[in-house]
Amino acid sequence: MSEQSYDVVVIGAGPGGYVAAIRAAQLGLKTACIEKRPTLGGTCLNVGCIPSKALLQSSEKFEEAKHHLSAFGVVVGEARVDLPALMAHKTQVVKANTQGVEYLFRKNKIDWLKGHGRLTSPTSIAIDGPDGSQTVTAKSIIVATGSDVMPLPGVAIDEKRIVSSTGSLALETIPKRLVVIGGGYIGLEMGSVWRRLGAQVTVVEFLDRILAGMDGDVAKQMQRILTKQGMTFKLQTKVTAATSTDSGVTLTMEPAAGGDTQTLDADVVLVAIGRRPYTDNLGLEATGVALTERRRIKTDSHFRTSVPSIYAIGDVIDGPMLAHKAEDEGAVVAEIIAGQSGHINYDAIPGVVYTTPEVAQVGKTEEQLKEAGVAYRVGKFPYTANGRARAMNATDGFVKLLADAKTDRLLGGHIVGADAGHMIAELGLAMEFGASAEDVARTSHAHPTLSEIVREAALAVDGRPLHM
Ligand code: FAD
Ligand code: NAD
């Protein structure tokens, strides 16, 4: 077969890879993208962000109809779940998104090379696809192969009774008892979905807190709220084994620090203890691409690996495993390859957990500032004191801002509360512009909106909130 040659070949069509391909094509580079899944969009569009948000949306609407609408004076008949219809909504949303990426590839004249790509030299890739094998060459290669489920020894995933996030997006019945191993992003989001739909959810977490890496105040508040919603938490506990039976799963657990074992029965167990970089059969060793200690691909600040013509971005390299971080890196690496300069401010990448209420953060946590010995001031304002939040019956939560004690520059923003995911964008932008808390406090915020809570928190940094 003849060898096709390109300026840029991207391996992996997740948010990192497909954005890199689009940006490279926009910049006039002849571009192809290799993807082994039957659809484009990677983990995020197929089995991650998008399907989980579709299920979160449906289950939130159900819970609203069942428990919350009457408080607004809206009376509906008995709400019930139509699980196949709920799943059909998810499938439709995924399809619209993955086909959207196919359209963008056609529009930008990007070749989708179907199959598994393996590096065979610094400038060539062998592709094993449904239509046979071929080799392509490229002046620059971008590895964007993402991540995969982290396995837990002793707890074998069968995607039926013991599921990963992927299985948890496609359960055929609502489990009576769901045990989630891991109190992070996936555990809390998918735990929320199935709790709202009727499951009794227990979260088993190794650490002494949930949402590791997020601000401690926020994590505590969120645990209280989720507990009030009916979730049970077993912290400082590790699962050592799982036995599947016809009727369910028995988990064996022990205290994280060691001690007596106990068992816990479940109908379904979700393993959500993190994700691992995906580099299987990628030919990294053969081409000399170096890895970090945590087996992610090592890159410099320009996303160049130890092999100069090979770049890497997204979940497969260091940093938070988030779709928008991968997208940002995708756009920037294409610009760098095209000879432009590119830069990402990793301190201004937001993180959002789409529970009810949502949790959102940008910048440093209070714990990180303490550890770094930075002098800071805190401004905090609760949702309870906001008119719009009261009208929405959404008074749980707060906004917490951290600003440099000397310069007043914003160092971190943390929100637990309704619409936190949208509200954090203002703080991300403020941080990108090097804004002070005073800048945010002096910016006009429309009334009555939840965004006024952000402004009040900014005023609170200087001890002068107006409505508290
Ligand atoms: P991926 O999206 O993993 O894409 C990599 C692609 O490369 C895959 O399609 C894979 O098939 C392909 N590939 C791998 N190796 C090869 C090869 N050798 N040849 C050809 N193709 C290959 N992040 C958020 O920001 N917000 C969210 O709400 C969110 N929700 C999530 C929910 C779940 C359940 C999960 C699992 C993740 C979620 N994430 C979320 C994380 C997000 O999905 C990832 O951070 C993001 O997808 C990473 O993008 P990527 O392009 O680096 O890799
Ligand atoms: P996570 O890192 O968010 O949470 C994993 C949790 O499991 C941690 O709290 C960890 O302490 C705990 N843990 C680890 N080993 C354990 C063990 N043996 N027993 C009990 N607990 C254990 O990982 P995740 O929830 O699996 O999600 C993976 C990644 O996907 C996230 O880090 C995030 O980057 C991404 N994601 C993002 C979103 C979003 O942006 N809304 C949603 C889902 C996933």
Side-chain angles (χ1 to χ4, degrees):
M1 224 184 238
S2 69
E3 244 180 47
Q4 284 260 42
S5 62
Y6 293 91
D7 293 320
V8 175
V9 171
V10 185
I11 311 180
Y18 85 69
V19 166
I22 291 172
R23 190 72 191 112
Q26 281 178 345
L27 290 164
L29 300 169
K30 187 181 173 200
T31 305
C33 184
I34 306 170
E35 173 55 58
K36 65 192 175 87
R37 266 178 218 277
T39 48
L40 299 173
T43 303
C44 176
L45 271 55
N46 289 284
V47 291
C49 329
I50 295 300
S52 61
K53 264 76 262 175
L55 295 186
L56 278 157
Q57 198 68 48
S58 294
S59 59
E60 194 175 350
K61 289 208 178 295
F62 169 64
E63 190 159 73
E64 231 178 87
K66 195 169 165 83
H67 298 296
H68 304 310
L69 283 185
S70 58
F72 291 92
V74 179
V75 182
V76 291
E78 199 199 339
R80 56 181 191 85
V81 178
D82 177 348
L83 196 57
L86 193 145
M87 290 293 171
H89 166 67
K90 175 203 70 175
T91 305
Q92 185 46 40
V93 172
V94 168
K95 194 170 160 200
N97 279 275
T98 57
Q99 287 184 344
V101 179
E102 267 187 63
Y103 159 77
L104 292 172
F105 272 23
R106 280 196 302 275
K107 181 181 165 207
N108 288 285
K109 302 193 171 39
I110 298 161
D111 289 344
W112 172 9
L113 308 174
K114 296 183 184 175
H116 179 101
R118 183 173 45 83
L119 298 160
T120 48
S121 84
T123 52
S124 60
I125 305 164
I127 304 166
D128 269 330
D131 307 322
S133 304
Q134 61 170 317
T135 297
V136 294
T137 61
K139 288 182 197 142
S140 302
I141 294 171
I142 303 170
V143 178
T145 50
S147 63
D148 199 2
V149 173
M150 177 100 79
L152 178 59
V155 185
I157 292 171
D158 59 20
E159 297 296 15
K160 288 211 153 54
R161 291 212 172 277
I162 303 181
V163 297
S164 71
S165 54
T166 304
S168 80
L169 292 164
L171 298 181
E172 284 168 7
T173 53
I174 300 165
K176 263 177 104 170
R177 297 157 307 173
L178 172 70
V179 173
V180 177
I181 310 178
Y185 280 84
I186 293 176
L188 300 188
E189 288 186 358
M190 294 313 298
S192 290
V193 166
W194 293 105
R195 184 202 56 72
R196 292 169 188 165
L197 298 180
Q200 259 170 34
V201 176
T202 306
V203 176
V204 181
E205 165 60 51
F206 184 79
L207 301 175
D208 60 358
R209 52 165 291 174
I210 60 169
L211 294 172
M214 288 197 144
D215 192 87
D217 264 355
V218 162
K220 257 193 224 128
Q221 173 82 353
M222 203 51 208
Q223 191 183 330
R224 271 199 293 269
I225 293 172
L226 292 172
T227 303
K228 218 164 66 185
Q229 292 174 0
M231 259 192 213
T232 306
F233 291 91
K234 278 186 177 298
L235 303 183
Q236 290 179 286
T237 304
K238 67 178 173 206
V239 173
T240 50
T243 318
S244 274
T245 62
D246 281 348
S247 58
V249 183
T250 302
L251 290 176
T252 309
M253 309 178 301
E254 62 182 49
D260 293 342
T261 60
Q262 15 165 337
T263 58
L264 182 62
D265 293 329
D267 301 299
V268 173
V269 172
L270 163 59
V271 180
I273 58 161
R275 293 179 61 80
R276 65 172 183 95
Y278 187 79
T279 55
D280 296 3
N281 192 22
L282 192 53
L284 295 178
E285 299 78 12
T287 35
V289 173
L291 299 180
T292 66
E293 271 172 19
R294 311 184 87 186
R295 304 208 53 78
R296 293 203 186 176
I297 295 178
K298 203 182 212 164
T299 57
D300 65 13
S301 59
H302 284 103
F303 308 104
R304 212 184 270 265
T305 68
S306 51
V307 178
S309 55
I310 302 178
Y311 297 77
I313 55 164
D315 279 10
V316 81
I317 69 166
D318 268 346
M321 289 185 167
L322 296 174
H324 42 285
K325 176 259 192 189
E327 288 187 50
D328 293 351
E329 290 177 344
V332 164
V333 76
E335 288 165 4
I336 289 171
I337 288 170
Q340 302 184 352
S341 59
H343 172 72
I344 292 173
N345 175 6
Y346 285 95
D347 269 336
I349 292 181
V352 180
V353 189
Y354 297 88
T355 41
T356 302
E358 291 176 350
V359 183
Q361 71 167 17
V362 64
K364 303 288 187 214
T365 64
E366 192 164 354
E367 291 77 12
Q368 284 170 332
L369 293 181
K370 274 195 183 126
E371 202 183 315
V374 176
Y376 60 91
R377 292 200 295 175
V378 183
K380 218 168 154 182
F381 196 84
Y383 272 60
T384 34
N386 175 270
R388 185 66 180 277
R390 289 191 198 117
M392 292 165 68
N393 280 354
T395 49
D396 273 341
F398 57 79
V399 174
K400 170 177 173 179
L401 299 186
L402 302 165
D404 189 288
K406 272 204 212 97
T407 64
D408 196 38
R409 189 184 173 123
L410 271 181
L411 300 174
H414 304 273
I415 308 177
V416 47
D419 239 354
H422 288 131
M423 297 214 297
I424 204 72
E426 167 183 2
L427 294 171
L429 188 68
M431 288 179 63
E432 280 287 5
F433 279 81
S436 61
E438 188 65 20
D439 289 328
V440 175
R442 289 194 179 270
T443 301
S444 185
H445 287 70
H447 175 76
T449 62
L450 298 177
S451 74
E452 290 170 286
I453 308 171
V454 174
R455 181 196 217 173
E456 290 279 5
L459 286 163
V461 169
D462 191 42
R464 51 177 227 274
L466 289 165
H467 292 89
M468 198 173 64

